[in-house]
Every structure is written in C-alpha cells, then in structure tokens.
Amino acid sequence: GEATNKECEVAYHNVFMVMLWSSLAEGKVALMTHALQQMPPIPSRTSWLTYVRCHDDIGWAVTEENAAAVGLNGFLHRSFLSDYYSGRFPGTNARGATFQHNPRTNDRRISGTCASLAGLETALEAAALDRSAVDLAVRRILLLHSMILAFCGIPLLYMGDEIGLLNDYGYDDNDDLAGDNRWMHRPFMDWQKALERGDGTRISGRLFQGLQGLIRARKDIFAFHAQAGAFPVWTHNDHIFGLIRESPRGRVLILGNFSDEAQTVPAYRLLEMGFGGQLLNLVDGRQVSGWQDLAIDAYGYLWLQ
C-alpha cells in the first residue's frame, strides 16, 4: 500500500546518496553496485527523488549483509566513512563535521555541503600549492551529479551545490542555530558567486555550466523515460560504476569512474553488455569506440548509446 511505497521511496533515495559518497571515499564501487542490485523494483506508477545532498545530515545506511557480500565489515566501513568525511581519516580531502554521535554504537552522522565534502574547501586552501586538487574536486562534484541525473527518479539539486558553496561556519555565532552543525550546509546564497556562473574559467562557472550540459542531455534522452528500467551492472573494474537504463525507447550505458586515476572498461565487457562497436557519448556528442578497452579519466563519466 501507500506505506510500502513510501518506505521504498525513502530507502532508494537515501541508499543511493549514501552509496555515492561511500564510493567516492573508498574509490571503489563494489558496495554500491551490489546494494543497488538488491533494491526491489518500485511500482511503475511511482517515482522517487535522487540527490547528492539535501538539507539534512548523512546517515550511513550500509547494512551488514551488503557490506559482507563485498568483503567489508559493516561496522568498520560506517566508522571509516564518518572518519573520512569529518576530516579524521589520514589523507582525506573532505571537510565535514560529526552530527549526533552515539558512543554506544559509534554511529556518527555527517554534516557538510556537497562541495566541502567533495574536497573543494580543502583544495582551495592549498590552491597555491596544487591547483590540480581544485580540478579534481570539481570533477567529483560533477561526477556525483551525473549519477543522480542518469539514475531513474526525479533529480533534486540542493541550493548552492550548482555553484560550489562551501561550509558556512557562521551558524555558530547565531544563538538560535549554534549547537546544530547541520546549519553549515544550509548557507545563505552567495549572490556574487552566482553572478560568476557564466564565466567558465571560474569554479562556479565550471560547475554551473557542467550541470547545465548534463540537464540538457538528460532532457533529450528518450531512454531516461520515467518508467525505463535501471540496472546496475558489474563493469569488471572495481573503480567504475555501471548502470543500464533500458526501455522500448532505447538503451543507455552510464559509466562513472570513482577513482582519482584514469581507469578502463574491457572491450569484451562492453560487448557482453550490448555496447560493442561505435558508441555516442550523449553528454557531449562525441563518438566513442567500443571495439577496444574504454578509458575514462579520473572522476569522469559517460552516457553511451
């Protein structure tokens, strides 16, 4: 009934968001692929939201069963994610904060804007030393959004993510907000940065125009019809997530590289999935050869037909 449909909707959009951030932190997609394959199909007349971030904190909806199926310990992986996104894990580029720590279970939810969790805040602080870190952060943000725009459902873009707004730490100076660090990812709009969104040389411009391109591509793809199936697939590369959208209107293979290095999908695997031969990347209109191993840049994504 309605309750079951609602539970399914909540499960889908929460699990998908969690799996995106999990894959980004780990640089691997086995858990996301398996977990999404286990999700039951929703009734054909219903839909759900897909989002990278929302107004709330992130709770790590990683079950023991799904973690064990790909060789992970659920408790340890959830702890790793909390450490990674709160800046405690060695080498992390994320800048978030722990919310509602439960000492008994070590459950720690995470606050932070998409850009800060994706490493842009840290990269900007080190920009004078390594501008490539800024580029990688922008790539991560666009990769995440390419996934929610390609997955079935209604994509939700949270205010400020389209121009890369960072954590707002000023909430702690407001007596009405202090003590609830979720306000760090509920910033006031930066209208000056918004005015710069037309400049492709600026971060806000790269993000905004990149998202515009993805949205235009999505609107024109018949295979992204609301009732088209979404089937997560193994790409035979632990770093590249694969998803097939399939309907009578066509088939599209979505690929996303969650690694900070270029990765490849074997040509034989493309052929097995029905995507051998000459392919078209629907994001930018470029031709791609499926007759050979397909290389994808660090945090790159392709929508292939």
Side-chain angles (χ1 to χ4, degrees):
E2 291 184 6
T4 302
N5 291 348
K6 182 62 177 177
E7 289 169 2
C8 191
E9 177 183 343
V10 170
Y12 257 103
H13 67 228
N14 275 298
V15 169
F16 190 43
M17 175 186 70
V18 167
M19 291 303 152
L20 288 172
W21 289 108
S22 173
S23 296
L24 202 63
E26 192 184 6
K28 296 182 178 180
V29 300
L31 179 60
M32 175 161 63
T33 304
H34 174 78
L36 294 179
Q37 286 180 339
Q38 306 313 302
M39 298 296 289
I42 67 169
S44 61
R45 293 187 178 183
T46 67
S47 189
W48 59 87
L49 299 176
T50 57
Y51 49 66
V52 171
R53 285 296 288 116
C54 69
H55 69 286
D56 219 343
D57 51 282
I58 301 177
W60 301 119
V62 177
T63 68
E64 302 295 335
E65 294 79 10
N66 284 337
V70 295
L72 297 173
N73 177 289
F75 174 83
L76 294 179
H77 189 66
R78 291 189 295 271
S79 295
F80 157 70
L81 293 174
S82 293
D83 286 344
Y84 188 92
Y85 285 109
S86 61
R88 294 181 175 89
F89 193 80
T92 181
N93 52 45
R95 191 67 63 82
T98 297
F99 179 73
Q100 285 187 339
H101 179 204
N102 184 334
R104 185 176 62 84
T105 62
N106 201 34
D107 179 41
R108 290 167 292 154
R109 305 169 76 85
I110 292 295
S111 298
T113 65
C114 171
S116 290
L117 293 179
L120 184 58
E121 185 174 338
T122 302
L124 288 172
E125 292 176 355
L129 300 175
D130 184 6
R131 293 186 180 274
S132 64
V134 174
D135 179 64
L136 288 175
V138 170
R139 287 171 172 266
R140 291 186 200 102
I141 296 169
L142 290 175
L143 168 64
L144 293 172
H145 283 87
S146 77
M147 294 292 107
I148 67 162
L149 283 160
F151 204 68
C152 45
I154 303 171
L156 183 152
L157 304 181
Y158 193 64
M159 189 206 80
D161 288 353
E162 77 282 6
I163 55 173
L165 291 192
L166 305 178
N167 291 338
D168 180 2
Y169 300 103
Y171 77 93
D172 215 21
D173 297 326
N174 185 324
D175 292 339
D176 294 327
L177 309 180
D180 185 345
N181 62 26
R182 290 175 298 180
W183 286 100
M184 71 167 54
H185 58 249
R186 301 167 182 169
F188 289 100
M189 174 55 85
D190 185 334
W191 292 110
Q192 179 56 45
K193 185 171 288 188
L195 289 173
E196 298 168 354
R197 67 189 183 277
D199 184 349
T201 66
R202 295 181 177 271
I203 293 171
S204 57
R206 285 186 61 189
L207 290 172
F208 188 83
Q209 293 171 36
L211 281 171
Q212 279 189 317
L214 287 167
I215 291 169
R216 283 194 297 268
R218 175 190 163 96
K219 287 181 176 180
D220 292 336
I221 300 174
F222 291 142
F224 284 2
H225 185 275
Q227 293 185 356
F231 308 100
V233 292
W234 298 101
T235 63
H236 293 195
N237 184 317
D238 288 344
H239 307 284
I240 298 179
F241 177 67
L243 179 78
I244 293 179
R245 295 296 309 275
E246 186 169 28
S247 77
R249 299 185 175 205
R251 300 174 79 240
V252 177
L253 174 63
I254 292 93
L255 298 172
N257 179 9
F258 281 77
S259 168
D260 60 2
E261 297 180 353
Q263 299 290 332
T264 60
V265 178
Y268 72 82
R269 185 58 182 139
L270 292 171
L271 186 60
E272 290 174 346
M273 294 185 290
F275 289 88
Q278 201 67 17
L279 305 171
L280 177 66
N281 180 18
L282 298 173
V283 175
D284 58 17
R286 295 183 182 180
Q287 296 290 323
V288 176
S289 174
W291 294 118
Q292 57 193 15
D293 293 351
L294 179 59
I296 305 178
D297 292 337
Y299 302 118
Y301 48 87
L302 301 169
W303 295 355
L304 301 175
Q305 191 173 55

